[in-house]
Amino acid sequence: MTSGRVCLVTGASSGIGAAVAERLAADGHRVALAARSEDDLDAVAASIRANDGQVLPVPADVTDAEGVEGMYRAVEEAWGPVEVLVAAAGSGSGKALVDTTDDDWRGAIELNLTAPFRCLRRALPAMLERRWGRVVVIASVVAKRGEAQVAAYTASKHGVLGLVRSAAAELASSGVTVNAVCPGYVDTPMTDRTVRAISERSGRTEEQARDALARRQPIGRLIATGEVADAVAFCVATGAVTGQGINVDGGAVQS
């Protein structure tokens, strides 16, 4: 595979983003880590450096347009243009549709759809100039199906999969690929928050709530972050796959 690329991973302070960053570094790439929490970024960076990886922590808020620009400038000044973008920053919360506020809706769209759009748009000129680039967005299985109690999250993930498909069609002959990885329920801090919310709403114990989420995957367990990182690494390694929403969900959504 092509190695030694300049990578930027958003949402890299924990969960899927951290696992992706560690995998890309292990594959020999230089990896810039972006997230809001500087302390958490430093912890992930220390882990990567302990394994002789090349890493650059870049504290940034991807929901802020100026923050996105500053993030890119920091990477470019240190290493040059971003060649691999992994947009892993994202979040969601469970609420009935009638209880979903305008702020809930705006927050989901801003983080899960607008931020990846801005990051992709900013990365493209350098990728197009070099006629090589890889873009991977962490979406969700709910980019492909509706799910109760997460209307804003589901809509934002449907939207970002549409962005991926449109960009891939536009860029197909340019040497730039654009894909989404669509996980089911993954063993991450975000899922921990979901478990607590289900427990509070339903009266079930957290153990019962976690087990219910595990059973959403036909394999009967939560997905590991490393399994999502494997799919991202595949998208980075190949130039023949683009415009895809690759399911990592234990068989929940067949395609």
Side-chain angles (χ1 to χ4, degrees), residues 178-190:
V178 187
N179 290 290
V181 172
C182 301
Y185 284 95
V186 185
D187 192 4
T188 64
M190 179 176 162

Side-chain angles (χ1 to χ4, degrees), residues 195 198-209 212 215:
V195 165
I198 291 172
S199 178
E200 290 170 2
R201 288 199 310 267
S202 68
R204 287 180 284 181
T205 67
E206 290 191 9
E207 182 178 355
Q208 290 170 330
R215 286 186 280 105

